[in-house]
Amino acid sequence: MPKIQGLSYGGDYNPEQWPEEVWPRDVELMREAGVNLVTVGVFAWAWLEPEPGGYAFDRLDRIMDGLHDGGIRVCLATATASPPPWFSYAHPETLPVDADGRRLSYGSRQAICASSPVYRQAALALTEQLAQRYRDHPALAVWHVHNEYACHNAHCYCDVSAAAFRDWLQRRHGDLAGLNAAWGTAFWSQTYTDWAQVQPPRATPTSSNPGQVLDFKRFSSDEHLACFVAERDALHRLSPGVPVTTNLMTASCVNLDHWAWGREMTGPDRLLSNDHYLLGEHPLEPPAQIAFAADLSRSLAGGPWLLMEHSTSAVNWQPRNLAKPPGQLRRDALAHVARGSEGALYFQWRASRAGSEKWHSAMLPHAGTDSKIWREVVQLGTDLRALAEIEGSRTGAEVAVLLDYGSVWAQEAANQPSADMVAFDEIRRWHSALWRAGITADLAPPDADLGRYRLVLAPALYAVTDDAVANLTGYVAAGGSLVIGPYSGLVDECDQVRPAPLPGAFAELLGIRVEEFFPLRAAETVRLDDGSTAAVWTELLAAPDAEVLARYADGPVPGAPAITRRGTAGGPAWYLGTRLADAPLGRLLAEVAAGVGVHPELPGTPGVEAIRRRHADGRSYLFLLNHGDRPAEVDATGLDLLTGERWTGPTRVAAHGAVVLAQPAAEGPA
Ligand code: GLA
C-alpha cells in the first residue's frame, strides 16, 4: 500500500492540460478536499519526451515539488500507455493491426502493438528515466505502470505479433505435432507442416479454428503482461521499496487472464489496483456491479487493494451517461472501501477543457466549487479521514464463485449451441444473486485452494483442466459444498470434448448424465415443477446417482431433471441444468448457502447492503449502505465513525446514506 497514513484519496491529475498558473490553485483545492494521493502523468509521454530521447522533466519537477509542499503524495505514472505522434510516425510498425489486416492510426490512445520490441524498448527507456529522476523524491508514493492494459488494443494481428505468437506456441506445444493435436487440425484440412504457416486468427471466410483463437487470447494476455513485468522490474531495480501497480479493469475487461496478472501484481512492493465505472443501462444494479468489481479485485489481491479510478458522476463513453444523484458519490466510494479498497481515487482531478473526455465528470467539475459534486468531494475527504483506523482490516467471505478466463474465452468461440450462453455474464449474475441475498463472496480460479470456503459456485465452467477437476472433486470429498451451472465440464483446456458420459469432467461427481442439449429460442421460457422459471437453456438429463430436486414442467424436455443434488461421502454437489430466472436462482442459492451455514451479514433489512471489514484482533467495521429512498432501521449497534454517533438500539441509516459502525471484537459475529 502507498505509505500514507489512513486511506488514500484523490485521482488522476493531468497538469499538462493546464497552464502553470493553475497548478498552485489545484494544490490548494486538493488540500481543501482532503486529497492525499494523486496519479500524475498517465498520458504525459508527449509532455515528458517531446522529441526522441529529449526528456523534459523540469515541469514535472515543479509539479512534484508543489504537491510535496502541499502535503500530497504522488502515484507517478510511467506514461507508457500512449506514445506521442512523433513516435508512431517514426515507427509505424508499432501501430496495432486488426484481424482484417487494417493498421490502426495514432491520434487516439493505446495505438500500440504489445509485442513490438520497438515500443517495449521506448517504454522501458522512459520508465527508467522517470525512475532515476524521481526515486528519491519525497512526494513519490507509488509507481503506476501504463494504464488499463488491453483496454483498446487487446489483440494485434500484425506480422510482429504473428512471429511472437509462433514463439509462444512453440513454448506451449513443443513441436508442430503437439500444435496440430491441441488445435485438432485434422478437422477442415488445417494441418500445419511448417511453423511459418501458423498465423494469428486473422479474418477467414468462416469461423477460425477454436483452439487457435483460444491460444491467441492466452498469448495476447501474456504479451501485455510481459510489457507490465518489464516496466515493473525496471522500477523494482531502480526504485526499490516503492510499491508498483497498474490499474486493472476487473469488471469490464475479459481480455486479460487476471489471475496471472494478480500473481505478478502482489507480493513485496506491489499493489493491486482497479478502475471501475458503472454501466447505466446494464442488467445488474449499480451496487451489484460495484460488488463484483471490488470482490474480484480483493480476490486477485488476496487482501487489501486500491480503487485507482472511478467517477464522481457521469462518464462520457456510454450512449446515455447517467449522472449520480446526491449521495451516490459517497456511497459508491464507500462500497469499494467496504470490500477492501484502502481508499478511493477518481478519474480525474480537474475536468478537461479539451479532448475526448471533456464531458466526463471529475472531482473539480467545469461548474467549479459551487457545485453538488465539489461539496460531495469535500465531504468524502472528511469521511475517509474519519475511517483511518480501518486501514489494514480485511473483508472476509465464506463463498467462492469460480471464474476461469480460459474457459470464458473457449466459450466465446463461434458455433456454440446457443449464443445466449455468455459465461462472464452468467458468473456475474450468480455473484449478484448472492449480493442480493446479502452474502459477500470471493472470486476464485478453479485450481485455487478452496478449503477455506463453505460453499463454491461454478456458474459457467465450460472448459476445465484435469488439475481443476481433481481440485473440485477433492474439495467435495473433503466436505465442501459445490454448485455447478449448465454447460460446464464439457471440454478440456484445448476446447476438445471430454469423453462420455457428459459432462465429462463432472458426470461422476454430480451423479448425472447429459444426453443432449435443448437450447431455447431467444425469448422462450420454461417452467419447472417447483414453480420456478428458466430461460436460454435446457438439456435432456438423467440423474442415475443424484436426487432430482426439480424437473421441467414444459418446454422441449418435459419431465427431465432440471436441478439435482448428489449427497456424496464428503459434501453435497448440486447441478443446475438450466438458467433459472433471477428470483428463483437467488432463492436457490440463498437456501443452499443457509443449508451449509452461510448467512447474510445482516438478515432481513432489504435495500441496505451490509459488509464487514475486520482487523486481525477481532475489531470490526460494519458498513451499512442504504440504497433505498427511505431511512432504514438496522438491528446493529456500535460507533458510527462517519458521524461520531453511538448507536445502542437499532441503527438508523438515512435514505441513500451510509453508516460505518466500529464494533469491538465481542460485538460482531466471529
Ligand atoms: C479509464 C481510463 C481513464 C479515463 C476513464 C474514463 O478508466 O483509465 O484515462 O479514460 O476511463 O472513464
Side-chain angles (χ1 to χ4, degrees):
M1 281 297 141
K3 292 185 183 80
I4 283 177
Q5 279 281 272
L7 303 178
S8 301
Y9 185 45
D12 277 19
Y13 178 35
N14 298 309
E16 68 276 12
Q17 296 177 13
W18 296 92
E20 197 155 341
E21 308 85 82
V22 175
W23 301 351
R25 180 70 179 140
D26 281 329
V27 175
E28 217 175 279
L29 288 172
M30 285 174 193
R31 288 173 62 86
E32 185 180 321
V35 163
N36 58 14
L37 183 69
V38 289
T39 304
V40 176
V42 172
F43 292 105
W45 191 337
W47 194 62
L48 298 171
E49 191 185 356
E51 57 185 24
Y55 299 103
F57 291 142
D58 52 318
R59 291 170 301 191
L60 182 55
D61 289 350
R62 293 199 288 284
I63 286 288
M64 295 288 286
D65 293 348
L67 289 166
H68 177 63
D69 292 345
I72 293 154
R73 306 295 303 280
V74 174
C75 173
L76 187 56
T78 60
T80 55
S82 224
W86 64 253
F87 176 83
S88 311
Y89 182 77
H91 306 287
E93 76 282 10
T94 63
L95 292 166
V97 171
D98 69 11
D100 294 331
R102 281 186 314 161
R103 196 173 282 283
L104 306 180
S105 186
Y106 51 92
S108 169
R109 65 175 177 183
Q110 264 190 15
I112 312 160
C113 159
S115 301
S116 164
V118 178
Y119 161 73
R120 288 187 184 190
Q121 199 201 350
L124 210 52
L126 177 58
T127 301
E128 288 173 355
Q129 289 287 327
L130 286 161
Q132 278 154 2
R133 188 157 187 111
Y134 296 106
R135 60 186 164 199
D136 298 321
H137 198 287
L140 177 67
V142 188
W143 286 107
H144 180 299
V145 173
H146 199 90
N147 191 66
E148 293 188 342
Y149 275 100
C151 180
H152 311 294
N153 64 343
H155 307 113
C156 176
Y157 299 79
C158 74
D159 289 341
V160 173
S161 303
F165 185 40
R166 285 190 283 271
D167 287 350
W168 184 95
L169 290 168
Q170 281 169 8
R171 290 196 296 278
R172 183 172 174 90
H173 299 296
D175 54 14
L176 275 179
L179 178 92
N180 281 314
W183 289 5
T185 54
F187 179 82
W188 278 359
S189 178
Q190 294 169 349
T191 306
Y192 293 97
T193 53
D194 190 315
W195 279 104
Q197 300 156 2
V198 179
Q199 302 289 352
R202 293 172 174 155
T204 42
T206 183
S207 46
S208 299
N209 179 301
Q212 177 190 13
V213 175
L214 176 56
D215 271 350
F216 188 64
K217 289 178 178 176
R218 293 186 172 119
F219 155 80
S220 301
S221 175
D222 285 357
E223 289 296 275
H224 290 284
L225 185 55
C227 291
F228 167 70
V229 166
E231 288 194 34
R232 180 203 68 190
D233 288 352
L235 293 166
H236 280 337
R237 178 167 47 82
L238 296 169
S239 177
V242 179
V244 178
T245 192
T246 186
N247 44 346
L248 300 176
M249 301 170 284
T250 56
S252 56
C253 177
V254 278
N255 290 320
L256 300 180
D257 179 348
H258 283 131
W259 300 115
W261 282 72
R263 285 192 290 277
E264 298 294 346
M265 292 177 67
T266 49
D269 295 335
R270 294 178 191 172
L271 164 67
L272 194 131
S273 67
N274 190 49
D275 296 352
H276 185 254
Y277 293 93
L278 293 171
L279 298 175
E281 295 163 291
H282 190 270
L284 301 184
E285 311 85 319
Q289 295 178 36
I290 294 178
F292 179 82
D295 287 351
L296 180 50
S297 303
R298 183 186 65 251
S299 306
L300 294 168
W305 58 281
L306 184 62
L307 177 65
M308 187 59 78
E309 289 182 26
H310 68 315
S311 68
T312 56
S313 192
V315 299
N316 73 320
W317 40 264
Q318 295 171 27
R320 288 157 291 276
N321 295 289
L322 307 185
K324 296 189 179 182
Q328 194 183 334
L329 176 155
R330 178 185 196 235
R331 211 181 44 208
D332 286 356
L334 292 177
H336 286 281
V337 171
R339 292 175 188 273
S341 176
E342 293 289 52
L345 277 70
Y346 289 97
F347 174 84
Q348 61 177 327
W349 161 250
R350 186 187 273 275
S352 302
R353 192 163 278 168
S356 292
E357 297 187 314
K358 57 184 171 297
W359 295 121
H360 193 292
S361 61
M363 298 176 82
L364 181 56
H366 291 303
T369 52
D370 187 9
S371 62
K372 156 190 149 280
I373 289 181
W374 179 254
R375 282 184 285 277
E376 294 194 23
V377 161
V378 173
Q379 175 62 47
L380 182 61
T382 309
D383 290 337
L384 293 176
R385 268 198 308 279
L387 295 182
E389 68 172 82
I390 76 165
E391 192 196 351
S393 58
R394 303 279 184 111
T395 310
E398 295 177 309
V399 183
V401 179
L402 300 185
L403 164 62
D404 182 87
Y405 289 92
S407 179
V408 169
W409 295 336
Q411 205 180 320
E412 280 170 354
N415 309 326
Q416 299 292 318
S418 169
D420 299 329
M421 295 289 275
V422 181
F424 194 62
D425 291 354
E426 190 61 1
I427 290 164
R428 294 187 63 176
R429 198 171 74 93
W430 283 43
H431 177 275
S432 78
L434 289 175
W435 172 83
R436 241 173 275 122
I439 295 168
T440 305
D442 283 347
L443 281 296
D447 56 357
D449 179 2
L450 300 168
R452 67 174 187 278
Y453 298 109
R454 284 175 191 261
L455 177 63
V456 170
L457 309 181
L461 195 55
Y462 164 69
V464 62
T465 62
D466 290 348
D467 284 354
V469 177
N471 190 44
L472 294 174
T473 309
Y475 168 74
V476 171
S481 304
L482 179 66
V483 185
I484 295 185
Y487 203 56
S488 289
L490 292 161
V491 301
D492 63 15
E493 68 268 36
C494 297
D495 194 12
Q496 299 200 8
V497 179
R498 287 177 168 276
L502 300 188
F506 300 131
E508 196 186 323
L509 175 65
L510 297 167
I512 58 158
R513 206 160 42 76
V514 174
E515 231 178 274
E516 191 176 348
F517 307 138
F518 281 83
L520 302 181
R521 293 177 184 82
E524 196 177 349
T525 57
V526 290
R527 280 186 313 111
L528 273 55
D529 64 5
D530 65 356
S532 37
T533 54
V536 176
W537 188 262
T538 61
E539 49 194 28
L540 186 54
L541 183 75
D545 199 16
E547 181 191 349
V548 177
L549 302 181
R551 293 178 184 273
Y552 297 104
D554 57 19
V557 283
I563 306 174
T564 64
R565 178 185 184 279
R566 177 163 183 240
T568 69
W574 286 260
Y575 180 62
L576 272 65
T578 185
R579 280 208 171 164
L580 287 179
D582 290 351
L585 177 69
R587 275 197 303 276
L588 180 77
L589 295 182
E591 226 177 85
V592 166
V596 300
V598 177
H599 301 285
E601 191 60 63
L602 189 74
T605 316
V608 177
E609 184 176 0
I611 314 116
R612 188 179 296 278
R613 284 181 62 146
R614 188 187 298 279
H615 278 302
D617 63 9
R619 282 176 303 136
S620 72
Y621 306 93
L622 183 61
F623 283 69
L624 301 170
L625 309 174
N626 186 354
H627 299 296
D629 292 328
R630 302 201 172 160
E633 298 224 321
V634 170
D635 187 16
T637 58
L639 172 71
D640 180 7
L641 293 179
L642 298 175
T643 57
E645 189 155 357
R646 184 170 288 285
W647 294 96
T648 49
T651 295
R652 199 155 189 278
V653 192
H656 300 289
V659 164
V660 181
L661 294 179
Q663 301 184 330
E667 224 164 301

